[in-house]
Amino acid sequence: MTSARRIAAGGAIATAAAAALTLAAKAGGRWAVGRTEARLCTTAQLPPYMASERARALHAELWVADLHADSLLWGRDLLQRGSHGHVDVPRLLEGNVALQVLAASTKSPRHLNLDRNDDRSDDVVLLAIALGWPPATWRRLLPRALYMASRADRFAARSDGRLRIIRTAADLAAYDADRGARPDITAGLLAIEGAHALDGDPANVDIVADAGFRMMGPAHFFDNAFAGSAHGVEKGGLTDLGREMVQRMEGRSMLVDVAHASSATVDDVVAMARRPVIASHTGLRGVVDSVRNLTDAQARAIAETGGVLGIGFWPTVCGGTGAGDIARAIAHAIRVAGIEHVALGSDFDGAVPVPFDATGLILLTDALIEAGLDDDAIQKVMGGNVHRLLAETLPPGDQTNGAISSAALAAPSVSTGR
Ligand SMILES: [Zn+2]
């Protein structure tokens, strides 16, 4: 072997070794992230789930929708049934879920707590690195959100039609028609948890809307340039940038989601909204009195916009650890906001303890029967209200269409000027 060839061969071996190391590091990273997910996203009662005859018959007829899950965060292949966590396509299908909102949670402070967090730390970057996400996602939040959208699109593309990402009212209508003929399909809708994902510029609403996001919360666990968080330091309302963002979101048919917003932000959003406002995963202070939850007046104000309240499945919003606790929280929300304005907001895979995974939603149908709701009310709460809201508010169709390109990920043209 000539020395040039030896060097070339050595280079090839080094490249192969580096590739193998990267793969091993990725597998190790995924394993470590999976362990973290299993530790944080717990399930009180493991499947299989037994329900009454009446619940089984009714649940099979429902169009079930859930307004919040963080399943895009943890690196699992959502086409495979997971051994931990709560949501993936096989479990959505088994649970008869017609639509799961998949949220991009782009930044999460260390030592997360309900009362007071600042924006200086970022645990999601550790996940991004451990899972081998593109380096652009390590540095900025907008590429991180876009990457999470691209993960959803790739799952849909590989799913043999079992998973669709709904972006328009036309998508929803086509999905409904197809689901009538082929029940083994389910759908996702993309959301963003916290407008810090816009990297400070309200004009980036156009970029996330183009990527297919259809809901966004002004703030997540910390105050940002747009709005105060219920868990922030100042807990202020919408800023001028925040007001501009809300206007731009409405202009792009995105729903403003006040889950996690400070009380002042909730009031500011509702006061300026011209379109329905939602609280995707929330509770009411009449059930659990916490900064995370809405007052009766706020719940009614959201209902008056035409929006819905997605009632959460974890103890600090529903007041307990069982399906019966969620049903009681839902019954209270109906009394406050009206039957047309209550929905499900599980927070599956959201680092909270929940009673069951997505295959166990039938237990909630059973608990709602037990709580005295009639079939029509159960149909509305379990997904009918969300269907109505989306049919009325999604952009009509063919306006954006689509799967984002890898060029969008690099996104050098994204403005971060403010
Ligand atoms: Zn959340």
Side-chain angles (χ1 to χ4, degrees), residues 68 193 220 260 281 292 347:
H68 192 86
E193 200 161 19
H220 192 197
H260 292 287
H281 54 307
R292 172 72 173 79
D347 209 5

Coordinates of all heavy atoms in Angstrom, one line a residue, residues 68 193 220 260 281 292 347, ligand 1:
H68 N -53.6 18.8 24.1 CA -52.1 19.0 24.4 C -51.4 17.8 24.8 O -51.7 17.1 25.7 CB -52.0 20.0 25.6 CG -50.6 20.5 25.8 ND1 -50.1 21.6 25.1 CD2 -49.6 20.0 26.5 CE1 -48.8 21.7 25.4 NE2 -48.5 20.8 26.3
E193 N -45.7 25.9 22.5 CA -45.9 26.2 23.9 C -44.9 27.3 24.3 O -43.8 27.0 24.7 CB -45.6 24.9 24.8 CG -46.3 25.0 26.1 CD -46.5 23.6 26.8 OE1 -45.8 22.6 26.4 OE2 -47.3 23.6 27.7
H220 N -44.7 30.3 28.4 CA -44.7 28.9 28.9 C -44.3 29.1 30.4 O -45.0 29.7 31.2 CB -43.8 28.0 28.1 CG -43.9 26.5 28.5 ND1 -43.0 25.6 28.1 CD2 -44.9 25.9 29.1 CE1 -43.4 24.4 28.5 NE2 -44.6 24.5 29.2
H260 N -50.8 28.4 30.8 CA -49.5 28.8 31.3 C -49.4 30.4 31.4 O -48.4 30.9 31.9 CB -48.3 28.3 30.6 CG -48.1 26.8 30.8 ND1 -47.6 26.3 31.9 CD2 -48.2 25.8 29.9 CE1 -47.5 25.0 31.7 NE2 -47.8 24.7 30.5
H281 N -54.5 23.3 27.9 CA -54.4 22.4 29.0 C -54.4 23.2 30.3 O -53.5 23.9 30.6 CB -53.2 21.4 28.9 CG -51.9 22.1 28.7 ND1 -51.6 23.0 27.7 CD2 -50.7 21.9 29.4 CE1 -50.4 23.4 27.8 NE2 -49.8 22.8 28.8
R292 N -51.8 28.5 38.3 CA -51.8 27.9 37.0 C -53.2 27.8 36.4 O -53.4 27.7 35.2 CB -51.3 26.5 37.2 CG -51.4 25.5 36.0 CD -50.4 25.9 34.9 NE -50.3 25.0 33.8 CZ -51.2 24.9 32.9 NH1 -52.3 25.7 32.8 NH2 -51.1 24.0 31.9
D347 N -52.2 16.9 28.7 CA -50.7 17.1 29.0 C -50.0 15.7 29.0 O -49.1 15.5 29.7 CB -50.5 17.9 30.3 CG -49.1 18.6 30.2 OD1 -48.5 18.6 29.1 OD2 -48.7 19.2 31.2
Ligands
ZN1 ZN -47.8 22.8 29.4

